Amino acid sequence: MDLSDDARSLHPDLVALRRALHREPEIGLELPRTRDRVLTALQGLPLEITEGTATTSVTAVLRGTATRDGAGPVVLLRGDMDGLPVAENSGEDFAAGTGTMHACGHDLHTSALVGAAQLLCAHRDRLAGDVVFMFQPGEEGWDGAGRMIDEGVLTAAGRRADHAYGLHVFANRLPAGVVTTRPGVFLSASHGLDVTVHGAGGHGSNPHTARDPIAAAAEMITSLRTMVTRRFDMFDPVVLTVGVVRAGTRRNVIPETARFEATVRSFSDAHARLLPQLVREVCDGVAAAHGVRAEVGWTDEYPRTVNDAGEVGFAAEVCAGLLGEERFAIATDPVSGSEDFSRVLDAIPGAFLGMGACPTGTDPAGAPMNHSPLARFDDAVLGDAAALHASLAAARLGVPA
């Protein structure tokens, strides 16, 4: 079974699907147009398809026919489908004009998983087990994976999946088509911080008669950024970035409140447990010094993405056999992005892989990164991404990759 050749024949259709998805990104858990395009692309394939009730997810099960008793292993393959609230400025002639954008490459993930389904369906008579295709909405902060797990995606084949694989493209970092991952922690855990500072308003010309929440919030932000470099080991780092600051109505009015939000990333369970306590200590201490009050909200979002070491070794062999050894590299360090595919890997041994999709002729080191309004992804990698998904499943189900 030569999945590379089959994937090349699918490539034009996968590019067309990817660009159609790219023109109309949808956000969150409700992606009706995206779901409908996926269902149309899967139409006519020998798949058992279930649509989500809490989300517009799609779960498709392929029954391999190379086993008589149906007792072969189950492999889960996942592709996320949602976009971001980013106004696109990529310059692509298929760019979205909707104020939203597939700035993280999920349009490629979805199209590649459709391609993998088409490839594996064409060879179902050689699969000694089943494949679950997990088309997931709501990865970008909505915990779509958790919702699909609640609805039974891990047991969609009638028994729990034995292996799970996901693939994420990068607009920078790697040359197009190069694959990377690492055993153990590959991606960080993510946490959300929301702080409201309650002060006492007044006139900007007489700040001593008020209690300025803006000054206190500014000091909290600076102190928190210092705290993560002074209270945590640099070899087990914490990343804290403030992305939202809101306060005030006019320049000569001291407001009653100020608010800021931050994303926080951690790479160990010990630090994840310690962070909420230290964050509150910093905010409360600064608030006391300024005579204001801090209301601190903390949310644990996605856990760390932890790859099974054996699964990484298996994926490396499959990738090298399919694409060549020069196109696979073990990552030296974890990545500080976060993923809700971590919830799948918490339950099932598997591996999450990264693939370069930096446009040809662009230096990955200087290219706009995922989530940038300038991000561009080379859809020339779609055939290889589909073939890699399919080869991982096929190899686990008794077919040479």
Side-chain angles (χ1 to χ4, degrees):
M1 181 168 63
D2 191 336
L3 292 176
S4 294
D5 287 345
D6 288 356
R8 278 191 285 272
S9 70
L10 293 178
H11 183 73
D13 290 339
L14 299 183
V15 170
L17 174 60
R18 180 260 164 155
R19 296 187 179 190
L21 293 172
H22 193 90
R23 289 188 186 97
E24 289 190 280
E26 296 176 289
I27 295 172
L29 298 168
E30 297 297 320
L31 319 175
R33 294 188 301 276
T34 304
R35 174 202 58 201
D36 291 349
R37 284 199 170 97
V38 168
L39 291 173
T40 297
L42 299 179
Q43 196 168 11
L45 298 176
L47 296 168
E48 300 169 11
I49 294 177
T50 304
E51 297 180 45
T53 56
T55 73
T56 53
S57 63
V58 176
T59 301
V61 178
L62 172 64
R63 305 289 183 184
T65 59
T67 178
R68 293 182 180 179
D69 57 8
V74 177
V75 176
L76 183 146
L77 303 175
R78 180 272 212 157
D80 42 1
M81 304 189 293
D82 56 322
L84 285 157
V86 174
E88 184 164 4
N89 192 25
S90 67
E92 300 282 21
D93 57 11
F94 51 89
T98 57
T100 57
M101 181 184 177
H102 270 297
C104 205
H106 295 187
D107 49 335
L108 279 81
H109 303 169
T110 302
S111 303
L113 191 58
V114 165
Q118 294 169 338
L119 290 170
L120 291 169
C121 284
H123 297 280
R124 67 182 300 209
D125 60 332
R126 300 185 62 188
L127 302 180
D130 301 336
V131 185
V132 177
F133 301 94
M134 178 182 176
F135 292 92
Q136 179 208 309
E139 188 278 328
E140 296 287 356
W142 300 84
D143 200 9
R147 291 171 185 259
M148 289 190 73
I149 289 171
D150 289 343
E151 290 195 339
V153 69
L154 302 184
T155 55
R159 56 199 186 280
R160 195 175 189 83
D162 301 287
H163 313 277
Y165 305 103
L167 179 68
H168 204 299
V169 294
F170 292 112
N172 64 345
R173 295 179 182 270
L174 298 167
V178 173
V179 178
T180 190
T181 191
R182 70 192 303 272
V185 179
F186 184 39
L187 301 177
S188 65
S190 65
H191 319 276
L193 173 62
D194 187 331
V195 178
T196 301
V197 182
H198 298 273
H203 199 290
S205 65
N206 288 271
H208 63 285
T209 64
R211 290 291 180 267
D212 189 348
I214 294 178
E219 188 170 330
M220 288 175 195
I221 291 169
T222 300
S223 297
L224 287 168
R225 294 175 64 184
T226 301
M227 178 268 291
V228 300
T229 67
R230 295 298 180 267
R231 298 297 296 273
F232 295 100
D233 186 343
M234 69 178 71
F235 297 107
D236 184 6
V238 168
V239 178
L240 187 149
T241 299
V242 175
V244 174
V245 180
R246 292 194 179 98
T249 57
R250 293 183 65 84
R251 64 177 176 266
N252 63 343
V253 177
I254 295 173
E256 290 282 311
T257 62
R259 180 168 176 262
F260 64 91
E261 298 176 38
T263 185
V264 187
R265 310 298 168 115
S266 63
F267 296 89
S268 69
D269 288 340
H271 285 181
R273 289 190 296 268
L274 183 59
L275 269 164
Q277 171 193 335
L278 293 184
V279 164
R280 287 188 171 90
E281 287 178 1
V282 168
C283 292
D284 288 342
V286 172
H290 283 260
V292 300
R293 179 173 63 87
E295 181 183 347
V296 180
W298 180 268
T299 304
D300 289 316
E301 297 167 334
Y302 297 159
R304 301 173 302 159
T305 301
V306 181
N307 287 330
D308 179 87
E311 294 283 5
V312 168
F314 166 79
E317 291 180 7
V318 171
C319 185
L322 178 73
L323 304 176
E325 291 184 0
E326 71 282 358
R327 286 179 56 185
F328 180 83
I330 291 291
T332 304
D333 301 311
V335 177
S336 55
S338 304
E339 253 284 349
D340 64 356
F341 190 66
S342 56
R343 301 205 187 279
V344 176
L345 294 182
D346 274 355
I348 297 170
F352 193 60
L353 314 174
M355 175 180 276
C358 183
T360 302
T362 303
D363 181 3
M369 69 185 301
N370 293 27
H371 287 215
S372 166
L374 303 174
R376 296 174 61 237
F377 300 87
D378 192 343
D379 48 26
V381 305
L382 280 172
D384 287 342
L388 180 55
H389 267 307
S391 295
L392 288 166
R396 278 297 185 203
L397 301 182
V399 180

